[in-house]
Amino acid sequence: MLAMGLTLSIEDFKRLLNYPIPILLGVFLQYSVMPTLGFLLFHYSNLPTPFGVGIALVSCCPGGTASNVLTYLSKADVALSVTMTTISTLVAIFLTPALTTLIIGSKVDVNAIGLFLSTAKVILLPVGLGILINRYLPSFSRSVTPFSSQISVILIILIVASIIGASSKTILEYGIQIGLFVFLLHSLGFLFGYILSKLFKQSEIYSRTISIEVGMQNSGLGVLLAKENFLDPLVAVPSAISSLFHSLIASALAGYWRRKKL
């Protein structure tokens, strides 16, 4: 989140005025398509409850910053992707805890206030700090930005590895089931993001951008929220696996779209 904040400026928010419809559509689909899929998988799958909760949680997270890179590789609109990621991340402070509580609250005790505070802490403070550094210390920001994204990737890999390593026995037992449902969550997110964008008469470039933004989640945020707000460590597993699946699916899509004429 800090690395993301270091790359943002006021101009990124001004883009909302330039093309509000695709941005707002993308954010709307992010918080309608994915949570709906999360709801269905949580209530109608035969997964153990902790895994179902984890899938519901990651479905309510904002778009991931990796979507910006995959958007570039897909010959889509990177500026639009950056703005959608920024907006969906900021509104996640309220929507991620609210939607998660709505989906799982009838079956699992949820600390909605704890979810809200955790989300605000991990988004608002580091992103805000990054924006301030970029605004008032631009030379410092430019000097560290080339390294911040690599450091972020390494840290995410270590977080995901620790979750998978700690839960390896359970993952081996339920691995195929978890993988199937996580794959369904993301693949259907990409699919519906694209189809619904077309139904709303968006261009091919905008539809690709929105599809990637909807299908890719901030899995790192999902892991952190799971660890801080749920007693069962298995709740964090779907988010950890999610980071692999959405990256693979998006990479395959990007490869296909790069070869396809606009």
Side-chain angles (χ1 to χ4, degrees):
M1 290 296 104
L2 178 61
M4 177 182 177
L6 288 171
T7 65
L8 297 178
S9 66
I10 301 301
E11 295 302 318
D12 294 304
F13 298 96
K14 288 182 178 178
R15 290 196 195 104
L16 184 58
L17 302 176
N18 296 332
Y19 32 52
I21 293 177
I23 292 173
L24 295 177
L25 176 62
V27 174
F28 170 74
L29 293 178
Q30 175 75 51
Y31 287 110
S32 57
V33 169
M34 297 303 282
T36 299
L37 293 171
F39 174 87
L40 294 174
L41 291 173
F42 173 70
H43 286 279
Y44 299 105
S45 71
N46 58 349
L47 279 174
T49 299
F51 294 137
V53 171
I55 287 177
L57 177 61
V58 76
S59 75
C60 297
C61 287
T65 52
S67 63
N68 308 148
V69 178
L70 272 301
T71 297
Y72 170 76
L73 296 176
S74 302
K75 294 183 177 179
D77 194 315
V78 177
L80 176 62
S81 176
V82 169
T83 307
M84 282 195 295
T85 301
T86 303
I87 301 300
S88 71
T89 299
L90 293 178
V91 299
I93 297 170
F94 304 100
L95 289 183
T96 296
L99 290 170
T100 302
T101 303
L102 182 65
I103 292 174
I104 69 177
S106 61
K107 289 189 175 183
V108 178
D109 289 333
V110 184
N111 182 359
I113 299 298
L115 274 174
F116 169 75
L117 293 176
S118 295
T119 310
K121 177 181 67 177
V122 79
I123 292 176
L124 193 59
L125 294 178
V127 171
L129 177 61
I131 293 173
L132 289 174
I133 292 174
N134 193 25
R135 173 69 177 84
Y136 295 105
L137 298 171
S139 58
F140 175 77
S141 179
R142 284 193 297 269
S143 66
V144 300
T145 296
F147 309 102
S148 61
S149 58
Q150 287 91 335
I151 294 172
S152 299
V153 169
I154 292 171
L155 292 176
I156 289 293
I157 289 173
L158 291 174
I159 292 170
V160 169
S162 70
I163 297 298
I164 293 177
S167 308
S168 58
K169 291 183 180 179
T170 308
I171 292 174
L172 288 173
E173 183 177 354
Y174 294 98
I176 294 177
Q177 285 180 285
I178 304 170
L180 174 62
F181 288 121
V182 172
F183 175 80
L184 280 174
L185 173 69
H186 289 294
S187 58
L188 291 176
F190 286 109
L191 177 64
F192 285 123
Y194 184 82
I195 291 174
L196 292 173
S197 297
K198 286 292 189 180
L199 289 177
F200 280 94
K201 303 186 183 302
Q202 297 301 300
S203 67
E204 175 67 18
I205 289 179
Y206 284 177
S207 296
R208 291 182 184 184
T209 307
I210 292 172
S211 170
I212 292 173
E213 195 66 29
V214 172
M216 298 189 75
Q217 303 295 92
N218 189 331
S219 304
L221 175 63
V223 168
L224 185 140
L225 294 179
K227 292 182 70 175
E228 286 198 352
N229 296 279
F230 296 92
L231 294 177
D232 196 324
L234 296 180
V235 174
V237 170
S239 291
I241 296 176
S242 161
S243 62
L244 170 65
F245 274 90
H246 72 213
S247 298
L248 291 176
I249 298 169
S251 297
L253 271 178
Y256 170 74
W257 277 330
R258 281 185 70 83
R259 293 190 298 270
K260 186 178 178 182
K261 291 183 178 180
L262 289 170

